[in-house]
Amino acid sequence: MAASVAIQLEFGGGAELLFNGVKEHHVTLPSQTEPWDMKQLLVWIQRNLLKERPELFVQGDSVRPGILVLINDADWELMGELDYQLQDQDNIVFISTLHGG
Amino acid sequence: MAQEVVGLKAQLKEKENDIAALKKKLAQLEKSHTSALELRERVTPLTPLKAKAALCNEDIMRYSRQLLLPELGVKGQLNLSKTSVLVVGCGGLGCPLAQYLAAAGIGRLGLLDYDEVELSNLHRQVLHGEENQGQAKALSAANAVRRLNSTVECVPYHLQLSPENALQLIQQYPASQSSAYIYNVPTRYLVNDACVLSGKPLVSASALRMDGQLTVYNYCGGPCYRCLYPVPPPPETVTNCSDGGVLGVVPGIMGCFQALEVLKIASGQRSSCSQQLVMFDAQDARFRSIKLRPKQASCAVCGENPIVTRLVDYETFCGSAATDKCRRLNLLPRDQRITVQDYKSIMDKAEPHLLLDVRPLVEVDICHLPISLNIPLSSLEERKSEHIQLLQERISQLKQQMAGDRHPPVYVICKMGNDSQTAVQVLEKLSGSEVDSISLKDICGGLMAWSRKIDPTFPQY
């Protein structure tokens, strides 16, 4: 049995608009048999935080193109993407790419 | 006799002064005539930029405060004067970018923009003035830049970057980098690919609402735009400045940041923004730098086995148009849409109806039609109970005014006529269940069409 994990979620670049404009969320993922990974976190976010228009956030089992995911201030590509196992106190950031000027 | 000599000498001196003044005036006129800025409508070859061997006294005085910096020095200043930079877009980022590059003494500035100056640009595109409205942005920016530093060679381009002209253009800026601020997704991929194919770094930034982002792509072995975003975002998830809004100073800050990185690269220092994403949150006044993934071996354009070896059709690739203009949706059948003229006659005949304005409150505060009921599209989508209740009350009132069993007509309006169609689709599902049955239509072109075609005193934004 893996213990519960407390993490900080941040949304920016407009992605926060999908979460009532709230940029920072402190959440605790409940304990479960398997350790939490990013793939499960995305499902959890969809069920618990994201109420409307999931297509603006996820596509398939990953984030939609144009959203950059950062794990502790590094591109998630460097950390194993969907397979990254969440640690207590991790900081996960979802940034929507901007196209304006 | 002696007096006559003195008098003649004085007259002669006066004439000589006149001649000198006339010569000076002529020289100035000739100089300004030969260097009148030529606005280019297509890409044509440029003469190579002349390399300066040394700084003249005027250069030394002009750049003295930056020459004192050991990071720059005379060598760095000479490097700047040998550098050509292409600025893609002369808007909120491009204006401060071009301004600081010119002020610092860059050699040549290509200024590209397909658009003309509008009143709604001036809050952030600070090189253009009120008198430049209607003028090509590239020319307006070039004139402003030249007033600042006439020794910088400015090349204004009034054209849209395309797969046909992009490589030819970018290759003409050989000593250096392209520095781009780009509004739309297809142009981002186009500029990225053109920079990769011609081996130029790309100093890219963007700004929207209260956020800014900056990355230097294809530089010192770092990733390109495609390494990070191999798949373009779905068009409906992309917001531009005319939809999302932007506080002018935010692109101002990001454009200045771009200028800084270009100057570092051009003078021979390194940019520290390769494989980095700099994010600026204007609300919290916070900068943050993120380490990005390295260059991807699998990248379609800069990877080990590139698929993109020449420029392709980017509008098809991205599923959206390469302009900053707003999209026009066609979600509803023709018989479910009315024109602003139709609505005007409904109003004139005082036919009982409900006008539902589905814009966000912040836009309704800017302007609205007096009889409209405002329920934002987002509230309808979320089925907010207080709003559904309000709608039902207004439908009941309307029913009392109407004879017979006809469904009360509800006309839905928004800014441009896109959200109003989505709102009709949402309301269709509520009609007959959560509210009484209603007859739904949207008003084509929205309030902006109302302003253009019916009431010119109604504001445009």
Side-chain angles (χ1 to χ4, degrees):
Chain A
M1 200 69 178
S4 63
V5 246
I7 56 171
Q8 175 167 283
L9 298 176
E10 277 185 65
F11 302 93
E16 73 277 12
L17 299 176
L18 298 170
F19 301 89
N20 284 331
V22 181
K23 287 180 188 168
E24 290 186 19
H25 301 249
H26 295 271
V27 303
T28 303
L29 307 174
S31 81
Q32 59 175 25
T33 44
E34 300 284 308
W36 282 90
D37 62 18
M38 287 298 288
K39 197 168 174 175
Q40 294 163 350
L41 175 66
L42 289 178
V43 176
W44 186 89
I45 289 173
Q46 267 194 86
R47 286 191 188 145
N48 295 278
L49 296 178
L50 185 71
K51 305 285 189 233
E52 292 289 323
R53 312 194 67 183
E55 73 279 8
L56 296 184
F57 189 68
V58 286
Q59 196 175 89
D61 60 3
S62 192
V63 292
R64 71 148 169 86
I67 291 183
L68 210 56
V69 186
L70 312 166
I71 300 173
N72 300 327
D73 277 356
D75 188 342
W76 76 335
E77 198 270 346
L78 303 166
M79 314 286 284
E81 295 196 17
L82 288 168
D83 298 329
Y84 173 79
Q85 289 193 0
L86 289 159
Q87 311 294 316
D88 203 50
Q89 302 308 319
D90 271 351
N91 181 36
I92 313 291
V93 185
F94 298 88
I95 296 286
S96 180
T97 327
L98 304 176
H99 299 278
Chain B
M1 175 72 183
Q3 214 175 2
E4 206 178 336
V5 170
V6 172
L8 283 171
K9 276 187 176 169
Q11 270 186 39
L12 198 60
K13 183 76 189 163
E14 206 176 305
K15 299 282 180 206
E16 277 169 358
N17 285 344
D18 283 351
I19 287 170
L22 284 172
K23 276 187 176 167
K24 195 175 169 190
K25 200 173 170 186
L26 178 67
Q28 272 176 350
L29 268 177
E30 278 177 346
K31 190 181 168 193
S32 68
H33 180 72
T34 50
S35 62
L37 284 168
E38 180 204 348
L39 183 63
R40 289 163 195 250
E41 307 274 349
R42 59 196 178 85
V43 180
T44 46
L46 295 173
T47 52
L49 193 60
K50 277 181 227 134
K52 254 185 211 176
L55 299 175
C56 67
N57 286 358
E58 202 185 311
D59 289 339
I60 290 171
M61 180 58 85
R62 179 190 280 263
Y63 304 118
S64 54
R65 299 304 185 269
Q66 67 191 37
L67 285 173
L68 291 170
L69 294 172
E71 291 83 358
L72 189 81
V74 172
K75 189 161 175 255
Q77 189 68 50
L78 284 170
N79 285 339
L80 291 185
S81 75
K82 288 175 206 156
T83 304
S84 319
V85 177
L86 178 65
V87 176
V88 182
C90 302
L93 295 150
C95 283
L97 168 59
Q99 189 173 28
Y100 273 100
L101 293 184
I106 207 85
R108 177 184 278 159
L109 264 185
L111 298 165
L112 181 144
D113 207 302
Y114 65 88
D115 216 353
E116 284 85 34
V117 178
E118 289 174 30
L119 190 60
S120 65
N121 299 147
L122 301 187
H123 82 117
R124 67 187 191 283
Q125 306 184 8
V126 292
L127 283 180
H128 315 303
E130 289 174 4
E131 71 281 7
N132 302 116
Q133 286 177 75
Q135 197 179 47
K137 278 186 190 175
L139 187 62
S140 165
N143 281 322
V145 157
R146 204 162 59 157
R147 276 196 296 278
L148 175 65
N149 190 344
S150 61
T151 67
V152 172
E153 194 191 320
C154 279
V155 191
Y157 298 96
H158 186 230
L159 53 87
Q160 186 157 359
L161 209 58
S162 70
E164 290 72 40
N165 63 25
L167 268 184
Q168 195 197 350
L169 182 61
I170 285 173
Q171 279 162 354
Q172 288 191 8
Y173 289 77
S176 71
Q177 55 276 326
S178 307
S179 181
Y181 98 97
I182 305 146
Y183 320 94
N184 60 71
V185 184
T187 310
R188 276 187 163 233
Y189 281 97
L190 168 62
V191 172
N192 178 70
D193 291 1
C195 284
V196 170
L197 295 177
S198 50
K200 313 272 191 254
L202 173 61
V203 179
S204 175
S206 54
L208 190 68
R209 299 187 192 97
M210 300 283 280
D211 286 301
Q213 296 174 348
L214 177 139
T215 299
V216 178
Y217 295 111
N218 195 41
Y219 175 69
C220 285
C224 79
Y225 187 72
R226 272 190 197 260
C227 293
L228 282 159
Y229 307 104
V231 181
E236 64 275 17
T237 64
V238 177
T239 309
N240 63 23
C241 287
S242 54
D243 284 346
V246 62
L247 193 67
V249 65
V250 178
I253 289 166
M254 299 314 292
C256 287
F257 208 135
Q258 279 183 292
L260 173 66
E261 294 311 308
V262 173
L263 290 173
K264 276 156 55 181
I265 298 171
S267 63
Q269 306 163 58
R270 283 173 64 103
S271 166
S272 20
C273 297
S274 173
Q275 210 191 323
Q276 294 281 331
L277 169 67
V278 180
M279 297 186 292
F280 174 54
D281 181 333
Q283 195 75 64
D284 301 343
R286 193 166 65 142
F287 275 104
R288 203 166 175 191
S289 195
I290 299 296
K291 188 168 175 42
L292 296 171
R293 68 198 69 176
K295 185 184 172 88
Q296 300 291 289
S298 60
C299 178
V301 66
C302 77
E304 282 163 9
N305 297 300
I307 306 158
V308 180
T309 52
R310 56 181 184 82
L311 300 179
V312 296
D313 180 345
Y314 293 88
E315 298 197 351
T316 306
F317 173 63
C318 299
S320 62
T323 73
D324 175 37
K325 305 300 175 197
C326 294
R327 292 177 300 134
R328 294 225 176 274
L329 294 179
N330 273 311
L331 301 174
L332 297 179
R334 194 168 278 255
D335 61 357
Q336 217 174 0
R337 312 198 69 189
I338 61 167
T339 64
V340 285
Q341 288 89 346
D342 296 338
Y343 183 68
K344 174 76 166 56
S345 75
I346 291 166
M347 246 175 131
D348 290 345
K349 284 186 244 161
E351 286 178 24
H353 72 277
L354 177 62
L355 178 65
L356 184 65
D357 185 336
V358 294
R359 293 173 302 150
L361 187 61
V362 68
E363 292 185 42
V364 174
D365 281 345
I366 298 171
C367 56
H368 60 273
L369 290 173
I371 58 157
S372 60
L373 169 69
N374 172 230
I375 300 180
L377 175 59
S378 58
S379 298
L380 292 172
E381 283 176 328
E382 287 169 35
R383 291 169 165 64
K384 279 203 175 150
S385 56
E386 72 265 30
H387 279 130
I388 302 293
Q389 213 177 332
L390 179 65
L391 182 62
Q392 176 55 43
E393 278 166 27
R394 295 292 293 267
I395 294 169
S396 305
Q397 286 170 16
L398 188 57
K399 271 180 132 171
Q400 286 167 11
Q401 297 168 31
M402 290 172 52
D405 293 336
R406 215 157 52 85
H407 291 166
V410 175
Y411 301 105
V412 184
I413 199 161
C414 65
K415 183 187 178 189
M416 315 278 288
N418 288 337
D419 279 356
S420 56
Q421 298 180 65
T422 310
V424 164
Q425 291 183 327
V426 174
L427 286 162
E428 289 278 356
K429 290 179 197 145
L430 304 182
S431 169
S433 58
E434 283 161 82
V435 298
D436 294 346
S437 293
I438 44 180
S439 145
L440 283 154
K441 284 188 173 149
D442 98 302
I443 301 177
C444 266
L447 288 163
M448 295 304 98
W450 180 263
S451 167
R452 281 194 310 275
K453 294 174 184 165
I454 307 292
D455 180 5
T457 67
F458 193 88
Q460 302 239 2
Y461 64 95

